[in-house]
């Protein structure tokens, strides 16, 4: 139906398109790209899905170069695939490229009119929300408060994997669901400050994930949203129902936290309540809006953003890394040797991670070879700027091809090969600055002012869980099956066929 609708629109606006193509005009030096039609944009959208745009971009890059433009309806989107051009934009001219595009009608519903960190316009509100997250949750001193929570979640993950291994024929386990639930447990604890029961966590996860995955069905509202809202009324109503369900589950938890904070309950609640993200949100005042507090809707949006940023991305990276360890047993053995030399047979503590250089190299190679997101969220410029001789118009969307930069064969030898050694002494990745402040060699967390503030926490979680998963189990392939590294775009870029592995406990249970 969507393709039919686009064909109808194309026929309606064909006369305008012919006029546009035949009329003389003084074109500015916009980045090159395929021919476009007024109001419709590029016809490539008839053959490619908006949720799987990467094949189209790989086809266009050799033809148009490292910076090119596409039009989706009236929206101009510029794609940058070269790491040096990306550094010029995001670091050398960081302030100019730090804005976000204005949200469309659908997105404004989901981000509370851009009142969250990911989508807020570059200005006081964004600075306030980001500074709050960085200081109250992501500061090293605050991250340390959740160390017991990480050990609790590790136990949850171990029990889940053992149960699945014992129940499966031949011990084969599909691990991704376990990874997602474990990460979500940890993020729920950090967000709401409580170790909730499994059912309550799964209810929160379900409400969050169903809405997140449903957003892929909302791309139809990009074209003429007023008309699309009537044509695709059922999708709009479903989105609103899913949003309301999320609201109904999150708000009681926020109110419980507010009550606890106001009453300053005694020590009997000490084991139940820990420092939380919601605590910090309750303290925020918005100076540009008369000093008011955040609304409950805005807090739901910020909590949802917190889960989105920290769950699927980490679980996806974890699955890719464990898949490489299943395929490359020599890498797994080398990591195990490092683990045993540092921690013996004990659970690995966070302070042990600093003495594991091969583990760190393994995580970096995993993020380079399998970045969970192949694109950053779109940037925008508030005023027309020039980049590499091209005009970047005001309000244009600018995106960066993250995966392509980490696979640049001019920098990385055999870039599609998985080799942690490249990040050890003497390798081409030795001492790489993952923040990209000096130069961009890889940017799995973005670069510049809009770089993901959770970079340090994500790497800590990957190191902690990978090391302990290898210490606890031997990860081997299922007999007769090869690990399939085919990709599939979802919210992140996941394994098309989720990892199946045989898990052999390395020690007896007591």
């Amino acid at each position: 139906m969507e393709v039919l609708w686009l064909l109808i629109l194309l026929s309606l606006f064909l006369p305008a398109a012919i006029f546009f193509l035949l009329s003389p005009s003084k074109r500015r030096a916009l980045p090159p790209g395929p021919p476009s039609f007024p109001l419709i944009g590029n016809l490539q959208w008839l053959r490619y899905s908006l949720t799987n745009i990467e094949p189209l971009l790989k086809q266009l890059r050799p033809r148009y170069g490292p910076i090119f433009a596409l039009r989706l309806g009236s929206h101009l989107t510029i794609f940058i695939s070269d790491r040096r051009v990306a550094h010029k934009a995001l670091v050398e001219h960081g302030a100019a490229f730090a804005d976000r595009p204005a949200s469309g009608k659908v997105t404004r519903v989901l981000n509370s009119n851009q009142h969250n960190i990911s989508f807020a316009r570059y200005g006081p509100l964004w600075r306030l929300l980001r500074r709050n997250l960085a200081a109250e949750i992501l500061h090293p001193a605050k991250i340390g408060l959740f160390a017991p929570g990480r050990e609790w979640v590790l136990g949850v993950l171990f029990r889940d994997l053992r149960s699945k291994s014992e129940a499966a024929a031949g011990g084969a386990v599909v691990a991704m669901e376990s990874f997602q639930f474990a990460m979500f447990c940890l993020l729920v604890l950090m967000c709401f400050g409580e170790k909730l029961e499994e059912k309550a966590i799964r209810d929160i996860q379900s409400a969050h994930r169903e809405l997140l995955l449903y957003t892929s069905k909302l791309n139809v509202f990009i074209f003429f949203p007023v008309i699309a809202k009537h044509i695709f009324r059922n999708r709009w109503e479903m989105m609103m129902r899913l949003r309301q369900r999320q609201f109904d589950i999150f708000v009681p938890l926020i109110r419980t936290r507010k009550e606890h904070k106001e009453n300053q309950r005694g020590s009997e609640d000490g084991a139940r309540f820990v420092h939380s993200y919601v605590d910090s949100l309750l303290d925020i005042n918005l100076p540009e809006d008369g000093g008011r507090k955040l609304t409950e809707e805005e807090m739901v949006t910020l909590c949802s953003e917190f889960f989105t940023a920290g769950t699927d991305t980490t679980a996806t990276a974890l699955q890719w890394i464990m898949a490489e360890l299943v395929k490359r047993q020599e890498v797994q053995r080398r990591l195990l040797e490092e683990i045993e030399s540092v921690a013996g047979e004990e659970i690995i503590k966070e302070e042990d991670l600093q003495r594991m250089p091969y583990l760190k190299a393994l995580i970096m190679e995993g993020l380079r070879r399998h970045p969970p997101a192949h694109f950053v969220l779109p940037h925008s410029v508030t005023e027309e700027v020039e980049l590499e001789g091209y005009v970047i118009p005001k309000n244009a969307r600018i995106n960066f091809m993250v995966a392509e930069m980490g696979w640049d064969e001019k920098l990385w030898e055999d870039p599609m090969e998985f080799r942690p050694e490249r990040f050890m002494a003497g390798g081409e990745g030795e001492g790489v600055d993952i923040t990209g402040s000096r130069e961009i060699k890889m940017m799995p967390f973005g670069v510049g002012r809009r770089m993901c503030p959770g970079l340090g926490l994500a790497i800590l979680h990957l190191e902690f869980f990978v090391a302990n998963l290898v210490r606890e189990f031997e990860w081997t392939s299922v007999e007769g099956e090869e690990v399939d590294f085919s990709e599939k775009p979802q919210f992140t870029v996941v394994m098309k066929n989720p990892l199946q592995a045989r898990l052999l406990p390395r020690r007896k249970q007591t």
Side-chain angles (χ1 to χ4, degrees):
M1 181 176 179
E2 295 165 27
V3 172
L4 177 62
W5 181 52
L6 289 176
L7 289 172
I8 293 170
L9 288 174
L10 178 59
S11 66
L12 290 174
F13 293 105
L14 188 58
I18 294 172
F19 176 80
F20 174 80
L21 292 172
L22 296 180
S23 297
S25 61
K26 295 182 179 179
R27 297 294 188 88
R28 295 173 297 166
L30 295 174
S36 63
F37 292 83
L39 304 177
I40 297 296
N42 302 112
L43 298 186
Q44 280 81 358
W45 305 121
L46 299 177
R47 295 188 292 114
Y48 289 89
S49 167
L50 291 179
T51 58
N52 189 17
I53 191 178
E54 197 165 9
L56 170 61
L57 301 181
K58 287 182 177 180
Q59 181 186 97
L60 296 176
R61 182 188 177 191
R63 188 183 310 170
Y64 296 108
I67 175 169
F68 56 91
L70 286 173
R71 286 189 180 273
L72 177 57
S74 60
H75 299 298
L76 176 68
T77 300
I78 295 167
F79 291 91
I80 295 174
S81 62
D82 183 84
R83 59 191 183 87
R84 293 184 178 87
V85 178
H87 190 271
K88 286 183 180 179
L90 295 175
V91 179
E92 295 177 27
H93 304 290
F97 284 83
D99 205 9
R100 290 283 191 237
S103 290
K105 189 175 184 65
V106 170
T107 315
R108 284 200 303 272
V109 172
L110 300 178
N111 64 29
S112 298
N113 198 26
Q114 298 187 253
H115 275 62
N116 64 350
I117 302 168
S118 300
F119 290 94
R121 306 302 296 264
Y122 185 61
L125 174 64
W126 171 77
R127 292 187 184 91
L128 174 63
L129 296 176
R130 184 183 172 101
R131 184 168 58 246
N132 172 73
L133 177 63
E136 296 300 325
I137 296 297
L138 302 179
H139 188 278
K142 296 297 174 68
I143 287 176
L145 295 176
F146 297 101
R150 281 184 281 276
E151 292 190 13
W152 164 66
V153 168
L154 184 65
V156 171
L157 179 57
F158 283 170
R159 288 191 295 274
D160 192 25
L161 291 174
R162 286 193 204 101
S163 175
K164 289 180 177 178
S165 179
E166 291 167 0
V173 172
V174 179
M176 183 58 170
E177 185 179 328
S178 300
F179 293 162
Q180 287 175 325
F181 182 65
M183 293 303 108
F184 204 83
C185 284
L186 182 52
L187 270 291
V188 166
L189 173 64
M190 296 178 72
C191 185
F192 296 120
E194 291 192 67
K195 293 181 182 178
L196 300 175
E197 297 294 329
E198 179 177 336
K199 183 183 182 304
I201 296 174
R202 291 197 181 277
D203 286 344
I204 300 169
Q205 183 185 34
S206 174
H208 172 73
R209 190 162 185 79
E210 284 185 26
L211 179 57
L212 183 66
L213 294 179
Y214 197 74
T215 57
S216 66
K217 297 181 180 293
L218 304 178
N219 290 323
V220 293
F221 295 102
I222 294 175
F223 291 94
F224 308 103
V226 175
I227 299 173
K229 186 176 178 181
H230 293 284
I231 296 175
F232 299 101
R233 183 175 63 255
N234 290 341
R235 296 194 189 192
W236 180 272
E237 292 173 352
M238 174 58 78
M239 177 194 72
M240 297 304 293
R241 285 197 296 271
L242 291 173
R243 175 65 168 168
Q244 185 61 47
R245 181 186 174 213
Q246 186 184 59
F247 191 85
D248 292 341
I249 292 176
F250 283 29
V251 167
L253 293 165
I254 293 170
R255 290 175 180 173
T256 297
R257 195 70 211 186
K258 182 178 181 181
E259 181 184 352
H260 162 73
K261 190 175 178 67
E262 290 175 347
N263 294 340
Q264 293 293 307
R265 293 176 179 174
S267 59
E268 68 275 8
D269 284 326
R272 178 184 174 194
F273 290 99
V274 297
H275 177 71
S276 76
Y277 185 40
V278 171
D279 286 343
S280 69
L281 299 182
L282 291 167
D283 290 334
I284 287 179
N285 299 302
L286 302 180
E288 80 286 358
D289 204 356
R292 70 169 176 85
K293 296 288 187 181
L294 291 169
T295 65
E296 289 182 334
E297 179 187 354
E298 289 165 343
M299 285 191 278
V300 168
T301 294
L302 287 160
C303 291
S304 179
E305 175 186 54
F306 187 71
F307 295 142
T308 299
T311 302
D312 276 80
T313 50
T314 306
T316 297
L318 186 55
Q319 178 181 222
W320 282 114
I321 291 169
M322 298 311 296
E324 292 285 4
L325 292 178
V326 170
K327 180 180 179 181
R328 305 173 192 278
Q329 289 294 309
E330 72 282 1
V331 174
Q332 187 175 163
R333 284 192 292 270
R334 180 170 176 180
L335 176 59
L336 181 63
E337 289 173 3
E338 181 175 78
I339 289 169
E340 291 178 341
S341 70
V342 170
E345 293 192 355
E346 299 298 320
I347 288 179
I348 298 162
K349 303 292 184 181
E350 292 174 19
E351 54 268 25
D352 297 328
L353 301 175
Q354 301 307 313
R355 296 183 286 147
M356 296 184 180
Y358 190 70
L359 171 66
K360 294 184 180 298
L362 174 72
I363 300 304
M364 291 292 285
E365 178 68 344
L367 291 170
R368 183 201 67 82
R369 178 60 186 86
H370 303 289
H374 284 198
F375 304 92
V376 297
L377 289 173
H379 289 240
S380 183
V381 290
T382 52
E383 298 294 336
E384 184 177 286
V385 298
E386 184 176 313
L387 181 68
E388 294 291 285
Y390 296 115
V391 169
I392 310 297
K394 178 181 178 180
N395 297 327
R397 299 165 183 259
I398 304 102
N399 213 319
F400 299 84
M401 299 173 67
V402 168
E404 292 295 312
M405 295 177 200
W407 301 339
D408 186 349
E409 59 186 13
K410 296 177 183 177
L411 175 65
W412 305 101
E413 182 181 351
D414 297 325
M416 304 312 285
E417 288 295 312
F418 184 86
R419 294 209 304 259
E421 291 75 16
R422 68 174 87 238
F423 287 94
M424 302 290 284
E428 68 266 38
E430 180 185 6
V432 66
D433 176 18
I434 200 171
T435 69
S437 59
R438 298 190 300 272
E439 66 171 321
I440 294 174
K441 292 186 176 181
M442 54 188 285
M443 50 179 288
F445 297 96
V447 160
R449 302 185 185 208
R450 286 283 186 165
M451 181 176 64
C452 174
L455 182 157
L457 182 65
I459 291 179
L460 168 63
H461 286 173
L462 287 172
E463 291 178 354
F464 179 75
F465 286 101
V466 168
N468 277 294
L469 284 168
V470 170
R471 183 202 69 88
E472 187 71 10
F473 303 105
E474 179 184 357
W475 292 71
T476 62
S477 59
V478 177
E479 187 174 354
E481 293 189 20
E482 291 288 329
V483 178
D484 182 2
F485 285 92
S486 301
E487 299 172 344
K488 180 179 74 173
Q490 207 175 63
F491 170 69
T492 54
V493 178
V494 300
M495 297 181 73
K496 183 177 181 180
N497 297 302
L499 172 66
Q500 288 193 68
R502 293 178 66 241
L503 307 188
L504 306 175
R506 296 191 188 274
R507 54 192 54 78
K508 293 182 179 180
Q509 297 302 307
T510 57

